[in-house]
Amino acid sequence: EVVMTQSPLSLPVTLGQPASISCRSSQSLLYSDGNTYLNWFQQRPGQSPRRLIYHVSNRDSGVPDRFSGSGSGTDFTLKISRVEAEDVGVYYCMQGRHWPPFTFGGGTKVEIK
Amino acid sequence: EVQLVESGGGLVQPGGSLRLSCAASGFTFSYYSMNWVRQAPGKGLEWLSYISSSSNTIHYADSVKGRFTISRDDAKNSLFLQMNSLRDEDTAVYYCTRDATGNFDHWGQGTLVTVSS
């Protein structure tokens, strides 16, 4: 089973400042089709998860461009260029390369200082 | 607009059974693989089960294998999860998710299952 490790666990951020979340996988997520199966999800308080990013760096429709994903192989990052109040919530990375099972990181809670 | 609406959750005693449903709309349901994911109170996300578009391929997490059964009815645009031999640790919000371009591109609002005597 691929283990997904996120850091930090909690991320207090000042409004308008950048934020960065790290995710590491225990195996490479690169597939033979050329895609790397790493997704990022946002879960706002009291809501269901919403996918933000797929294949490392592709933003889903409607996702603000202040969110960006990067990385390769086993090391990935989600960045928020300027945090807004609506960005508060828990962020999860997830791998879809070596399944079953699909595996999620433990989550990073983003809160406003 | 893609919509996934779960139902069927509730309070059940340990050892009991529940059947969850997920009604899909806004897309051609039969074309897509689907999954169930759950989230225990205050905890992270746990993938439970996958079913391919043709129902030919089905997978389960070890934590539910032998107790849960995933199925689908393409004529009714519906996904199901039959849950038997429920345990306290199965208490969670259960989400259905669509599998497309990457994975899990759309999620329902979830249905709460509480296992307690």
Side-chain angles (χ1 to χ4, degrees):
Chain A
E1 173 175 323
V2 174
V3 177
M4 305 297 289
T5 304
Q6 282 184 240
S7 62
L9 199 62
S10 176
L11 184 56
V13 187
T14 300
L15 287 173
Q17 292 301 302
S20 180
I21 300 170
S22 171
C23 175
R24 288 184 174 169
S25 57
S26 59
Q27 297 179 43
S28 174
L29 303 185
L30 176 63
Y31 188 51
S32 55
D33 64 0
N35 290 313
T36 298
Y37 286 81
L38 186 283
N39 305 280
W40 288 98
F41 298 89
Q42 174 195 60
Q43 188 174 31
R44 290 170 170 155
Q47 295 187 13
S48 54
R50 163 200 183 195
R51 195 178 72 178
L52 298 176
I53 302 275
Y54 63 95
H55 294 168
V56 179
S57 59
N58 294 275
R59 271 190 307 275
D60 274 282
S61 176
V63 174
D65 60 8
R66 64 179 180 275
F67 290 93
S68 64
S70 63
S72 63
T74 62
D75 207 342
F76 307 95
T77 302
L78 175 70
K79 291 182 179 177
I80 310 174
S81 58
R82 294 173 305 279
V83 171
E84 297 188 6
E86 65 178 18
D87 300 335
V88 165
V90 181
Y91 292 77
Y92 297 93
C93 60
M94 191 214 85
Q95 69 85 18
R97 168 63 183 89
H98 303 278
W99 64 278
F102 295 101
T103 49
F104 293 88
T108 295
K109 186 175 185 178
V110 171
E111 54 188 11
I112 305 301
K113 279 183 184 174
Chain B
E1 179 194 3
V2 172
Q3 282 203 326
L4 299 170
V5 179
E6 301 91 340
S7 61
L11 175 63
V12 61
Q13 292 188 338
S17 298
L18 272 181
R19 189 190 194 212
L20 305 184
S21 300
C22 171
S25 61
F27 65 101
T28 305
F29 180 71
S30 62
Y31 287 2
Y32 291 85
S33 301
M34 300 291 293
N35 294 268
W36 287 99
V37 175
R38 71 182 177 187
Q39 186 171 36
K43 302 297 184 183
L45 301 169
E46 179 189 16
W47 170 80
L48 297 179
S49 185
Y50 163 94
I51 186 167
S52 64
S53 56
S54 57
S55 298
N56 286 344
T57 301
I58 287 176
H59 294 295
Y60 297 98
D62 287 346
S63 59
V64 304
K65 199 174 294 182
R67 299 189 300 124
F68 290 11
T69 302
I70 192 171
S71 63
R72 62 190 296 160
D73 184 338
D74 290 345
K76 295 183 178 179
N77 293 332
S78 294
L79 177 72
F80 305 101
L81 187 67
Q82 177 67 42
M83 305 188 298
N84 298 330
S85 304
L86 284 162
R87 306 166 179 167
D88 290 352
E89 56 265 35
D90 294 319
T91 293
V93 175
Y94 286 72
Y95 298 100
C96 64
T97 75
R98 190 179 78 165
D99 214 37
T101 313
N103 312 98
F104 304 1
D105 67 335
H106 287 275
W107 297 59
Q109 87 290 347
T111 187
L112 176 63
V113 172
T114 303
V115 184
S116 175
S117 54

